[in-house]
Amino acid sequence: MLELERWAVEISNELEKTEADTKTETERWRKSSIYKVPASIADVNTKLYTPQMVSFGPYHHGRPHLIPMEEHKRRALLQFLKRAKKPLKVFVEAVAEELQCLKDCYYEISERWKQDDDGFVQLMILDGCFMLEILRVGNDLIDDYAPDDPIFGNRGRYCVLPYIRVDMLMLENQLPLLVLYKMLAVESGEMDEEPINRLILKFCFLVSPGVPIGNCLHALDIYRKMQIFEFKTRKTDIVGRSSRLQFEYTDIDLSATDLYDSGIRFRKSKNVSISSISFRSGVLKLPAMVYDLQTERLMLNLMAFEWCHSGISIEVTEYICFMYYLIRSDRDVALLRSYGIIQNYLDSDRDVVLLLSSLSRNSVTEVDSKLNRVRLMVNGYCTRPWNKCRAYLVRNYFKSPWTAVNLIAAIILFLLTFAQTVYTVYPYYHRNEPRPRTP
């Protein structure tokens, strides 16, 4: 009996501790925005989630293949301070004020960085200054580096910066934008996040949205917002008359060529946002998408961010799933490429099919989502009797010139046979008709 009482007390203590840990963990999730990719995902291909040239933040700091870039970070800091004409001390104080907030941005942080506050602030300033200089050079805002500088010179802009751009968009390689906001505030005297947002958007997308996008978490968050942000598109353009639909999952999967055979036409959207996808009056609008050697890396990190961060939707993940339904063969890629919707820089159209198949392996979709509603409208259009009949005729009789010629010949032969039959039968009945009597 005494043993049972001790067990009950032990369980009660553990329960109280669990409730306290749950509150702490919930607070931790709310503050976190930079994560390590779960092993179940990253083990498929770790390199796709690992920076190849430069580290930002503590997760990959000190890795042997990234150490050579540390020298250039120091050079960038010296050039930045020389241009700002302000001592390093004021930047250190500004960043140190947000020390705990910056640490909380990282969901997993080693004991080394938890205990070494000075080292963490130094890391934030070096990495933040380097990123800021890269953004300015990439946007042609500064030219006070030597022309033959290996990173910030003419050669570096074309040979190095594209790889740094990709490293900046790795989930595990993110730097809180709060660092850049604070450094820019000290340099210019103004606390405004939009200049940093515009620098990152122009550096990554080569375009600017023209509207404020507000406070962002890190570069990957800005990149994702550009992918899903609704800049010029109205909500009615996206969902059309979807309010009349039942939001349930459908098993009807039609590829791009199937849709085309059913009478649907494609059109490239005017902006690159996923929110520009719409279906109206038999026209499916899709944003242009570039497929190159970096597409898989970027999309996987965006999807990993959506999986890990509980405060955002999974629109990029759903977009990958949507495109996988459309693209099942080389012909689908060629069709969308002819409309400018796909810009393929891979070796072949088949590589695009394999890429989407790989990306969609772990993708999921919500039943009541914009893209699923679009898909329901598209499938509903294709299941109309006339569109089904049209698709059947196109697939079976108009895929090649010879089948079309054979069909036309068969129709002509049928009409001639019918005419011959009428010509043969008509005199027989005409001969047997009673003749009118003459007075």
Side-chain angles (χ1 to χ4, degrees), residues 15-81:
L15 182 60
E16 293 177 1
K17 184 176 181 299
T18 301
E19 292 177 353
D21 291 343
T22 301
K23 293 179 180 179
T24 303
E25 195 70 11
T26 302
E27 187 69 13
R28 180 187 175 196
W29 290 336
R30 187 181 65 82
K31 295 179 180 179
S32 300
S33 61
I34 303 172
Y35 309 87
K36 287 189 175 181
V37 180
S40 58
I41 301 173
D43 284 349
V44 177
N45 195 338
T46 308
K47 287 186 177 181
L48 296 176
Y49 303 95
T50 304
Q52 303 299 308
M53 185 163 287
V54 61
S55 67
F56 293 106
Y59 285 164
H60 294 278
H61 179 75
R63 288 208 170 193
H65 71 286
L66 302 176
I67 289 179
M69 195 60 70
E70 297 301 313
E71 175 191 349
H72 301 294
K73 290 182 182 180
R74 197 174 188 88
R75 289 196 308 108
L77 176 61
L78 295 174
Q79 192 73 6
F80 174 81
L81 294 174

Side-chain angles (χ1 to χ4, degrees), residues 398-415:
F398 293 99
K399 279 298 182 183
S400 69
W402 293 114
T403 54
V405 169
N406 291 335
L407 176 63
I408 294 172
I411 293 175
I412 294 174
L413 180 62
F414 173 77
L415 293 175

